[in-house]
Amino acid sequence: MARLALVTGSTSGIGLGIAKSLAEAGYRLILNGLGDPGAIDQALSEVSTLCSESPIYIGTDLTQPRAIEVALAEIIESVGPISVLVNNAGMQHTGPVEDFPVDKWDQIIALNLSAAFHTTRLCLPEMKAQDFGRIINIASVHGLVASTNKPAYVASKHGLIGLTKATALETAEANITCNAICPGWTETPLIQAQIETRAADLNISIEDGGRALLAEKQPSKRFVTTDQLGALTRFLCTDAASQITGASLPVDGGWTAQ
Ligand code: NAD
């Protein structure tokens, strides 16, 4: 039976790219995400063509700790232990700290940081029992450096890197690793609003809005691709990567080298 991999927020963008890469590597996927049922069906069918065992979908809202507990208990009981956990679900909201909506702060911390704490604490006992586990936290360059107008996002991603290091130390003697991947600009729905705002502010096309964002921060001037992030995640699950733990790996076209 194939090992199980849970990728949170995998009905879109980076999570879907990672889910496809792990399906190609032979894992049975558990997809998660909210939103348009048509898009969710599409994601499930894309993943199902890549592996022999059909993917499972859980529509859990990860801002709700109790819902996470119920969903993971059901999966572990009815399908089996989770071997690979990719904490990817995340959201963004921009605005200066003094005007930042309090409800958005709470939501971003709950999804981008606390959800990873809950999934990690709930998956670790079975990983220890199996003597195998891979936890990959999709942080961001904003886990390593800050930008203006993203206080909750930057705080949540710095926190996620802290959780990554703490988990890595606690699991170092088991065959379990915990690492963070820190992408720079990656073209997905999450950054669409920022591209559109930049295009409107400068009165340029959407395409040029994307180029303007890249020019400001990402020296390669190219977007990271979801395939590239999928390939790195897949590598981190191999035996060759078993001594990589507690690391924060930038995939950012040179952003954080500046
Ligand atoms: P996306 O908006 O395309 O996907 C987000 C996913 O999270 C979707 O599947 C969505 O349904 C799911 N989601 C949202 N709220 C949820 C909730 N409450 N419960 C469960 N699922 C929920 O975004 P993306 O760009 O693919 O981002 C994925 C991760 O990568 C995020 O953590 C993001 O911070 C990080 N990241 C993105 C970029 C980028 O440039 N796109 C850069 C660095 C880091």
mmCIF file of all heavy atoms in Angstrom, residues 85-107:
data_model
loop_
_atom_site.group_PDB
_atom_site.id
_atom_site.type_symbol
_atom_site.label_atom_id
_atom_site.label_comp_id
_atom_site.label_asym_id
_atom_site.label_seq_id
_atom_site.Cartn_x
_atom_site.Cartn_y
_atom_site.Cartn_z
ATOM 1 N N LEU A 85 3.738 15.144 5.553
ATOM 2 C CA LEU A 85 2.821 16.247 5.862
ATOM 3 C C LEU A 85 3.397 17.526 5.256
ATOM 4 O O LEU A 85 4.511 17.919 5.601
ATOM 5 C CB LEU A 85 2.704 16.411 7.384
ATOM 6 C CG LEU A 85 2.012 17.684 7.881
ATOM 7 C CD1 LEU A 85 0.544 17.725 7.450
ATOM 8 C CD2 LEU A 85 2.121 17.783 9.414
ATOM 9 N N VAL A 86 2.648 18.113 4.324
ATOM 10 C CA VAL A 86 3.090 19.384 3.732
ATOM 11 C C VAL A 86 2.112 20.466 4.186
ATOM 12 O O VAL A 86 0.943 20.472 3.797
ATOM 13 C CB VAL A 86 3.134 19.311 2.189
ATOM 14 C CG1 VAL A 86 3.656 20.633 1.621
ATOM 15 C CG2 VAL A 86 4.011 18.159 1.728
ATOM 16 N N ASN A 87 2.599 21.346 5.046
ATOM 17 C CA ASN A 87 1.775 22.453 5.540
ATOM 18 C C ASN A 87 1.927 23.619 4.570
ATOM 19 O O ASN A 87 2.920 24.353 4.618
ATOM 20 C CB ASN A 87 2.223 22.846 6.947
ATOM 21 C CG ASN A 87 1.833 21.806 7.972
ATOM 22 O OD1 ASN A 87 0.660 21.438 8.078
ATOM 23 N ND2 ASN A 87 2.809 21.296 8.711
ATOM 24 N N ASN A 88 0.962 23.719 3.668
ATOM 25 C CA ASN A 88 1.070 24.682 2.574
ATOM 26 C C ASN A 88 -0.039 25.739 2.591
ATOM 27 O O ASN A 88 0.180 26.850 2.119
ATOM 28 C CB ASN A 88 1.047 23.912 1.252
ATOM 29 C CG ASN A 88 0.789 24.816 0.067
ATOM 30 O OD1 ASN A 88 1.686 25.533 -0.397
ATOM 31 N ND2 ASN A 88 -0.453 24.835 -0.418
ATOM 32 N N ALA A 89 -1.219 25.409 3.114
ATOM 33 C CA ALA A 89 -2.352 26.355 3.026
ATOM 34 C C ALA A 89 -1.946 27.698 3.626
ATOM 35 O O ALA A 89 -1.314 27.752 4.687
ATOM 36 C CB ALA A 89 -3.568 25.799 3.757
ATOM 37 N N GLY A 90 -2.293 28.759 2.935
ATOM 38 C CA GLY A 90 -1.927 30.070 3.450
ATOM 39 C C GLY A 90 -2.741 31.149 2.782
ATOM 40 O O GLY A 90 -3.371 30.919 1.738
ATOM 41 N N MET A 91 -2.757 32.310 3.407
ATOM 42 C CA MET A 91 -3.475 33.440 2.826
ATOM 43 C C MET A 91 -2.689 34.728 3.062
ATOM 44 O O MET A 91 -1.759 34.759 3.865
ATOM 45 C CB MET A 91 -4.883 33.553 3.415
ATOM 46 C CG MET A 91 -4.891 33.763 4.906
ATOM 47 S SD MET A 91 -6.566 33.956 5.563
ATOM 48 C CE MET A 91 -7.020 35.564 4.933
ATOM 49 N N GLN A 92 -3.085 35.750 2.341
ATOM 50 C CA GLN A 92 -2.392 37.038 2.396
ATOM 51 C C GLN A 92 -3.428 38.141 2.572
ATOM 52 O O GLN A 92 -4.573 38.001 2.097
ATOM 53 C CB GLN A 92 -1.626 37.246 1.074
ATOM 54 C CG GLN A 92 -0.909 38.553 0.905
ATOM 55 C CD GLN A 92 0.196 38.755 1.925
ATOM 56 O OE1 GLN A 92 -0.058 39.054 3.087
ATOM 57 N NE2 GLN A 92 1.437 38.596 1.483
ATOM 58 N N HIS A 93 -3.052 39.187 3.246
ATOM 59 C CA HIS A 93 -3.851 40.422 3.244
ATOM 60 C C HIS A 93 -2.840 41.542 3.443
ATOM 61 O O HIS A 93 -1.950 41.429 4.276
ATOM 62 C CB HIS A 93 -4.879 40.419 4.377
ATOM 63 C CG HIS A 93 -5.727 41.653 4.388
ATOM 64 N ND1 HIS A 93 -6.854 41.783 3.592
ATOM 65 C CD2 HIS A 93 -5.582 42.833 5.035
ATOM 66 C CE1 HIS A 93 -7.371 42.982 3.775
ATOM 67 N NE2 HIS A 93 -6.623 43.640 4.648
ATOM 68 N N THR A 94 -2.949 42.605 2.648
ATOM 69 C CA THR A 94 -1.934 43.657 2.732
ATOM 70 C C THR A 94 -2.515 44.933 3.343
ATOM 71 O O THR A 94 -3.694 45.257 3.144
ATOM 72 C CB THR A 94 -1.339 43.975 1.344
ATOM 73 O OG1 THR A 94 -2.404 44.320 0.461
ATOM 74 C CG2 THR A 94 -0.576 42.799 0.783
ATOM 75 N N GLY A 95 -1.652 45.620 4.082
ATOM 76 C CA GLY A 95 -2.043 46.888 4.695
ATOM 77 C C GLY A 95 -1.053 47.226 5.798
ATOM 78 O O GLY A 95 -0.394 46.322 6.331
ATOM 79 N N PRO A 96 -0.912 48.506 6.123
ATOM 80 C CA PRO A 96 0.058 48.899 7.161
ATOM 81 C C PRO A 96 -0.376 48.433 8.549
ATOM 82 O O PRO A 96 -1.568 48.268 8.799
ATOM 83 C CB PRO A 96 0.070 50.429 7.068
ATOM 84 C CG PRO A 96 -1.227 50.795 6.438
ATOM 85 C CD PRO A 96 -1.630 49.657 5.569
ATOM 86 N N VAL A 97 0.604 48.253 9.424
ATOM 87 C CA VAL A 97 0.310 47.637 10.718
ATOM 88 C C VAL A 97 -0.735 48.423 11.499
ATOM 89 O O VAL A 97 -1.620 47.836 12.140
ATOM 90 C CB VAL A 97 1.618 47.389 11.515
ATOM 91 C CG1 VAL A 97 2.328 48.670 11.926
ATOM 92 C CG2 VAL A 97 1.369 46.511 12.718
ATOM 93 N N GLU A 98 -0.691 49.764 11.456
ATOM 94 C CA GLU A 98 -1.632 50.520 12.302
ATOM 95 C C GLU A 98 -3.074 50.458 11.797
ATOM 96 O O GLU A 98 -4.007 50.708 12.546
ATOM 97 C CB GLU A 98 -1.185 51.974 12.496
ATOM 98 C CG GLU A 98 -1.309 52.883 11.293
ATOM 99 C CD GLU A 98 -0.054 52.906 10.423
ATOM 100 O OE1 GLU A 98 0.691 51.902 10.410
ATOM 101 O OE2 GLU A 98 0.161 53.928 9.744
ATOM 102 N N ASP A 99 -3.253 50.098 10.517
ATOM 103 C CA ASP A 99 -4.617 49.983 9.972
ATOM 104 C C ASP A 99 -5.017 48.529 9.723
ATOM 105 O O ASP A 99 -6.062 48.270 9.137
ATOM 106 C CB ASP A 99 -4.705 50.695 8.599
ATOM 107 C CG ASP A 99 -4.461 52.174 8.719
ATOM 108 O OD1 ASP A 99 -4.765 52.729 9.793
ATOM 109 O OD2 ASP A 99 -3.937 52.772 7.758
ATOM 110 N N PHE A 100 -4.171 47.594 10.111
ATOM 111 C CA PHE A 100 -4.409 46.198 9.721
ATOM 112 C C PHE A 100 -5.643 45.652 10.454
ATOM 113 O O PHE A 100 -5.719 45.720 11.688
ATOM 114 C CB PHE A 100 -3.173 45.351 10.045
ATOM 115 C CG PHE A 100 -3.049 44.134 9.182
ATOM 116 C CD1 PHE A 100 -2.504 44.225 7.900
ATOM 117 C CD2 PHE A 100 -3.496 42.899 9.625
ATOM 118 C CE1 PHE A 100 -2.406 43.106 7.090
ATOM 119 C CE2 PHE A 100 -3.397 41.777 8.825
ATOM 120 C CZ PHE A 100 -2.850 41.874 7.561
ATOM 121 N N PRO A 101 -6.626 45.098 9.723
ATOM 122 C CA PRO A 101 -7.844 44.609 10.396
ATOM 123 C C PRO A 101 -7.520 43.467 11.366
ATOM 124 O O PRO A 101 -6.829 42.509 10.998
ATOM 125 C CB PRO A 101 -8.713 44.098 9.237
ATOM 126 C CG PRO A 101 -8.092 44.625 7.989
ATOM 127 C CD PRO A 101 -6.656 44.887 8.276
ATOM 128 N N VAL A 102 -8.043 43.594 12.576
ATOM 129 C CA VAL A 102 -7.731 42.610 13.629
ATOM 130 C C VAL A 102 -8.225 41.213 13.229
ATOM 131 O O VAL A 102 -7.545 40.216 13.468
ATOM 132 C CB VAL A 102 -8.366 43.069 14.973
ATOM 133 C CG1 VAL A 102 -8.242 41.987 16.041
ATOM 134 C CG2 VAL A 102 -7.684 44.352 15.436
ATOM 135 N N ASP A 103 -9.385 41.153 12.570
ATOM 136 C CA ASP A 103 -9.888 39.820 12.187
ATOM 137 C C ASP A 103 -8.987 39.173 11.138
ATOM 138 O O ASP A 103 -8.780 37.966 11.128
ATOM 139 C CB ASP A 103 -11.355 39.881 11.714
ATOM 140 C CG ASP A 103 -11.547 40.731 10.480
ATOM 141 O OD1 ASP A 103 -10.750 41.676 10.255
ATOM 142 O OD2 ASP A 103 -12.487 40.467 9.710
ATOM 143 N N LYS A 104 -8.390 39.985 10.252
ATOM 144 C CA LYS A 104 -7.461 39.429 9.237
ATOM 145 C C LYS A 104 -6.189 38.918 9.914
ATOM 146 O O LYS A 104 -5.625 37.898 9.544
ATOM 147 C CB LYS A 104 -7.099 40.493 8.191
ATOM 148 C CG LYS A 104 -8.206 40.772 7.211
ATOM 149 C CD LYS A 104 -8.424 39.594 6.251
ATOM 150 C CE LYS A 104 -9.561 39.880 5.308
ATOM 151 N NZ LYS A 104 -10.206 38.660 4.803
ATOM 152 N N TRP A 105 -5.702 39.691 10.907
ATOM 153 C CA TRP A 105 -4.524 39.222 11.664
ATOM 154 C C TRP A 105 -4.806 37.844 12.249
ATOM 155 O O TRP A 105 -4.023 36.904 12.078
ATOM 156 C CB TRP A 105 -4.175 40.226 12.777
ATOM 157 C CG TRP A 105 -3.128 39.696 13.708
ATOM 158 C CD1 TRP A 105 -3.326 38.871 14.795
ATOM 159 C CD2 TRP A 105 -1.705 39.892 13.626
ATOM 160 N NE1 TRP A 105 -2.120 38.552 15.386
ATOM 161 C CE2 TRP A 105 -1.110 39.165 14.696
ATOM 162 C CE3 TRP A 105 -0.874 40.609 12.761
ATOM 163 C CZ2 TRP A 105 0.266 39.146 14.915
ATOM 164 C CZ3 TRP A 105 0.514 40.577 12.995
ATOM 165 C CH2 TRP A 105 1.059 39.857 14.050
ATOM 166 N N ASP A 106 -5.946 37.712 12.940
ATOM 167 C CA ASP A 106 -6.268 36.439 13.605
ATOM 168 C C ASP A 106 -6.391 35.302 12.595
ATOM 169 O O ASP A 106 -5.913 34.186 12.830
ATOM 170 C CB ASP A 106 -7.585 36.568 14.388
ATOM 171 C CG ASP A 106 -7.427 37.441 15.626
ATOM 172 O OD1 ASP A 106 -6.277 37.659 16.064
ATOM 173 O OD2 ASP A 106 -8.454 37.917 16.145
ATOM 174 N N GLN A 107 -7.024 35.586 11.453
ATOM 175 C CA GLN A 107 -7.237 34.555 10.429
ATOM 176 C C GLN A 107 -5.897 34.097 9.831
ATOM 177 O O GLN A 107 -5.670 32.906 9.621
ATOM 178 C CB GLN A 107 -8.090 35.176 9.331
ATOM 179 C CG GLN A 107 -9.087 34.253 8.705
ATOM 180 C CD GLN A 107 -9.855 34.979 7.598
ATOM 181 O OE1 GLN A 107 -9.879 36.217 7.520
ATOM 182 N NE2 GLN A 107 -10.468 34.213 6.728
#
